[in-house]
Amino acid sequence: MGHTGQSVLYVLSLYIPVSFLLIALVEAIQLSTQVTVSRQRESGSKELSSLFAHYAGGGLILSIFIGLIVFLCLPILQYFYKIPDDITPLFSSYVIGMMIAAVPTVLGAIANASLRGLGRAKHASFIAVCTALVNISLVYILVNMIGLSLNGIVYANIISSLLSLSAAITILIKGGDLRFPNRSINMSKLILLRYVGIPVFASYCLIFISTFFYNRIVSPFGESVIAGFGVGYRIQTMAILPGIVIGSAIGILINQNMASKKSMRAYEGFKKGMLQSYGTYLFIAASIWLFKDPIVSFLIADKYSQVEAIRYLSIVAPSYLLMGPMMTALLTMEQTGQGYRALVLNAIYFCLIVAGGFGITSKFNSPEAFYWCIFAANIAGATIIFPIFRMYKKRYVLARQVTDEGKKTRENVISPQP
């Protein structure tokens, strides 16, 4: 898409906040589904089918509801960003199309989350990789060969999401895990939406709100700066995905081990997962910083936007070494009953960037000042990892030691040693 014109890059950059609103819904629903299924996977296919039906129905309703809200707020977005009249139709049609594509995307995410919760991570990964390859291929054909521009992304998302949904449901049915559920509605099936889904949704809504203001901070510097910043930020979004994936994996391990009353293994899983996250982000941060020029040149053709994207990555990319493990730790908290703590930490992080960004950018009248603000927030945010380690150690190791000592004391009282 970066080789189709600056107006397309401009629209894609303006769409970033809206995309995080949809990501908020997808992550909230799929993480709640994943955690619920992983805790209930021994309860039988009837119970699992009921869980899937409840989450699928909830996801369908919420995706339509959010789509309607975004549609009604389009005039506000256009006014807030002062979108030129000639760009407005392109922006509106793209946003509406992506709201429609969100429906099969949410349902596909729920089906794949069920597979992961059942321990079939290989099946879910295979579907995810194939879906991505199909999506990329369709975008190339529909955009570059047929010339559908932004509509090509919409059609590609709808088709690839439907294929993903179909594949996941087929595997669930063939594995005997999914049968026709009862038609009765039981709100207790959705209880983890409160403890997992709502905090996750709120955390991503914070990203939606913050990126909404990020674009506003850089908007006075022109379309090329907005487009370049958008490309740099999308590269950053891709860079944090491994951290999210590792955090999700740690969450599954902790929940399964705690269900089996193996708290020591739960803590060891967290510790080893965090070490993997640090190793991964040492490679990611170094690679993006060293190869930022060819990466950006490959993604976009506009020279002015290239300069801005490279400037953003040259400043912010080194901080990914600490930002990635921070995301891993926060996502682990969200999946292990600490979602509201993670939400507070996320809120502080984004408030610092937005408040500091407005202040420092206004003072120096340069987008670079905003980029340095993001760098500083990433470094400062990494300090939360140490208390998170202490929290999990206290929760899973020290609490277990106290319990074991209590058992030994009771045994000695009941059967005193000679």
Side-chain angles (χ1 to χ4, degrees):
M1 299 305 299
H3 294 264
T4 56
Q6 191 185 78
S7 60
V8 170
L9 278 177
Y10 178 61
V11 170
L12 288 174
S13 298
L14 293 178
Y15 177 73
I16 288 176
V18 182
S19 72
F20 277 111
L21 187 60
L22 293 179
I23 292 172
L25 174 61
V26 170
E27 290 299 319
I29 293 291
Q30 76 171 357
L31 287 178
S32 299
T33 304
Q34 179 177 294
V35 173
T36 306
V37 171
S38 67
R39 292 182 180 180
Q40 303 290 329
R41 64 177 183 168
E42 304 298 334
S43 59
S45 60
K46 184 177 180 181
E47 178 69 16
L48 293 173
S49 299
S50 180
L51 287 172
F52 178 81
H54 278 77
Y55 279 108
L60 179 64
I61 293 171
L62 288 172
S63 58
I64 293 174
F65 177 71
I66 290 177
L68 289 173
I69 290 177
V70 172
F71 173 75
L72 294 174
C73 290
L74 274 175
I76 299 175
L77 290 172
Q78 293 161 7
Y79 173 79
F80 187 77
Y81 288 133
K82 296 180 173 55
I83 301 175
D85 292 338
D86 58 326
I87 302 293
T88 297
L90 184 65
F91 176 75
S92 299
S93 63
Y94 180 64
V95 172
I96 293 171
M98 292 302 285
M99 293 303 106
I100 296 171
V103 176
T105 299
V106 169
L107 296 178
I110 293 170
N112 277 281
S114 299
L115 287 174
R116 291 194 298 273
L118 289 167
R120 299 183 180 178
K122 290 182 179 179
H123 292 89
S125 296
F126 179 77
I127 292 173
V129 171
C130 290
T131 301
L133 292 175
V134 169
N135 192 291
I136 293 168
S137 301
L138 286 173
V139 169
Y140 180 80
I141 293 170
L142 296 174
V143 175
N144 287 27
M145 298 177 67
I146 299 179
L148 293 180
S149 187
L150 289 171
N151 287 331
I153 296 181
V154 175
Y155 298 143
N157 279 8
I158 292 174
I159 295 170
S160 59
S161 297
L162 288 172
L163 291 174
S164 174
L165 174 62
S166 301
I169 289 179
T170 300
I171 293 174
L172 288 169
I173 292 175
K174 285 188 174 182
D177 300 304
L178 189 61
R179 298 179 181 179
F180 192 76
N182 297 327
R183 296 183 180 180
S184 60
I185 298 175
N186 185 356
M187 295 306 294
S188 65
K189 304 288 185 185
L190 303 175
I191 191 64
L192 278 183
L193 273 175
R194 176 182 176 183
Y195 298 106
V196 177
I198 292 177
V200 170
F201 181 80
S203 294
Y204 277 96
C205 282
L206 285 173
I207 303 177
F208 156 68
I209 295 169
S210 62
T211 50
F212 187 70
F213 286 107
Y214 291 177
N215 279 345
R216 186 68 180 84
I217 291 171
V218 298
S219 61
F221 301 102
E223 289 184 18
S224 62
V225 172
I226 295 176
F229 167 74
V231 170
Y233 197 81
R234 279 196 295 277
I235 293 173
Q236 177 175 305
T237 303
M238 290 186 285
I240 66 175
L241 288 178
I244 293 174
V245 171
I246 295 172
S248 179
I250 296 172
I252 293 174
L253 290 173
I254 288 177
N255 285 315
Q256 289 181 355
N257 280 303
M258 291 307 295
S260 303
K261 301 187 184 303
K262 298 176 181 178
S263 57
M264 291 293 291
R265 287 189 64 184
Y267 178 70
E268 286 299 316
F270 171 72
K271 190 165 63 173
K272 290 180 180 179
M274 289 301 298
L275 288 174
Q276 289 184 2
S277 183
Y278 276 109
T280 300
Y281 277 95
L282 177 61
F283 172 77
I284 289 175
S287 298
I288 293 178
W289 190 79
L290 290 172
F291 300 104
K292 55 187 176 296
D293 290 44
I295 291 172
V296 171
S297 299
F298 173 75
L299 290 176
I300 56 177
D302 183 71
K303 296 298 181 182
Y304 296 104
S305 300
Q306 282 183 11
V307 170
E308 198 61 34
I310 291 170
R311 181 182 293 134
Y312 177 83
L313 293 176
S314 65
I315 295 172
V316 180
S319 67
Y320 297 164
L321 173 61
L322 297 177
M323 185 190 71
M326 177 183 69
M327 295 297 299
T328 299
L330 289 174
L331 197 86
T332 302
M333 290 177 66
E334 289 172 346
Q335 291 199 53
T336 55
Q338 303 293 319
Y340 289 101
R341 284 189 182 182
L343 176 61
V344 172
L345 293 172
N346 272 316
I348 295 171
Y349 170 78
F350 289 115
C351 286
L352 286 174
I353 294 178
V354 172
F358 269 113
I360 197 170
T361 306
S362 300
K363 181 177 180 179
F364 292 98
N365 194 31
S366 170
E368 286 187 48
F370 178 50
Y371 306 158
W372 280 111
C373 181
I374 296 175
F375 173 87
N378 289 342
I379 300 300
T383 58
I384 68 169
I385 294 175
F386 299 106
I388 291 174
F389 260 98
R390 287 198 299 269
M391 178 192 71
Y392 278 114
K393 187 174 183 179
K394 181 179 179 181
R395 187 178 182 188
Y396 297 136
V397 179
L398 300 181
R400 175 62 181 272
Q401 291 175 351
V402 170
T403 303
D404 290 344
E405 289 175 1
K407 286 182 179 178
K408 289 180 180 179
T409 301
R410 287 194 297 272
E411 289 173 358
N412 290 333
V413 170
I414 294 173
S415 303
Q417 296 296 322

